[in-house]
Amino acid sequence: MTQTLPCLHPNPGWTEAPAATTAAAPLPHQISETVGKHCILELYGCDSAKLDDEVFLRDTITAAAKRAGATLLNLITHRFEPQGVTGLALLAESHISIHTWPESGYAAVDVFTCGDHTMPEKACAVLAAELSANDHKLTSFRRETPPSIAESPRDPLQEQGFTAAVTL
């Protein structure tokens, strides 16, 4: 099933399911911890000039990250000769990437965010609108948390080599 941007829930997959009238236990295949959501976006019929404008794409990727509620850490782009741009935004929550083909009016976009405070579909909506896409295809799925991570306590500061000193 192809999803469209306007019909998507603002934060799909992150809300609790409605309470059932009977207290039935979930089936094993229904229990799933997620590490994040991954969106694959195909944009068709885009404005060719925008697809070839590196500065415009940098601004648009930045706006998309902000709209998704993500934290932009770094952004790298490269303009190819005679045309086309690739951009990669490193997010605290994961990444956004875009590859453009101005000669075809096409862009391939990848948005992956971790955590329940981000909404990658909103980043996709910004990119589709700003690139003036005539058509698009959005595929999104949840990335499952590996059991080795889900079952062990995690201290992000410790994993990054930081030590926290608490003084009371």
Side-chain angles (χ1 to χ4, degrees):
M1 179 174 117
T2 300
Q3 297 173 318
T4 59
L5 295 173
C7 72
L8 290 174
H9 181 283
N11 202 3
W14 299 111
T15 57
E16 300 263 337
T21 55
T22 60
L27 299 173
H29 71 277
Q30 295 173 324
I31 300 171
S32 175
E33 291 289 325
T34 59
V35 72
K37 282 200 77 179
H38 202 146
C39 294
I40 307 298
L41 177 64
E42 310 282 340
L43 297 174
Y44 306 100
C46 297
D47 180 326
S48 294
K50 290 179 178 180
L51 291 176
D52 206 31
D53 186 335
E54 186 176 3
V55 173
F56 173 82
L57 287 169
R58 290 180 67 84
D59 291 343
T60 302
I61 293 167
T62 300
K66 183 176 181 177
R67 183 71 176 112
T71 306
L72 181 62
L73 299 176
N74 200 356
L75 175 58
I76 186 169
T77 56
H78 177 80
R79 186 177 181 287
F80 294 93
E81 289 297 333
Q83 59 201 359
V85 176
T86 288
L88 177 62
L90 175 64
L91 308 175
E93 298 81 4
S94 198
H95 70 269
I96 297 173
S97 67
I98 187 167
H99 308 279
T100 71
W101 287 263
E103 69 277 17
S104 302
Y106 172 76
V109 177
D110 181 287
V111 182
F112 177 38
T113 62
C114 300
D116 60 2
H117 70 284
T118 56
M119 295 168 271
E121 289 87 355
K122 288 191 176 187
C124 291
V126 168
L127 291 162
E130 290 298 317
L131 291 170
S132 307
N134 289 332
D135 197 10
H136 70 276
K137 179 182 175 189
L138 175 66
T139 305
S140 64
F141 56 95
R142 289 184 249 183
R143 293 222 173 218
E144 293 187 21
T145 302
S148 61
I149 295 173
E151 296 171 4
S152 63
R154 297 184 65 201
D155 181 354
L157 294 177
Q158 190 75 22
E159 291 171 8
Q160 294 176 8
F162 296 106
T163 55
V166 178
T167 307
L168 299 178

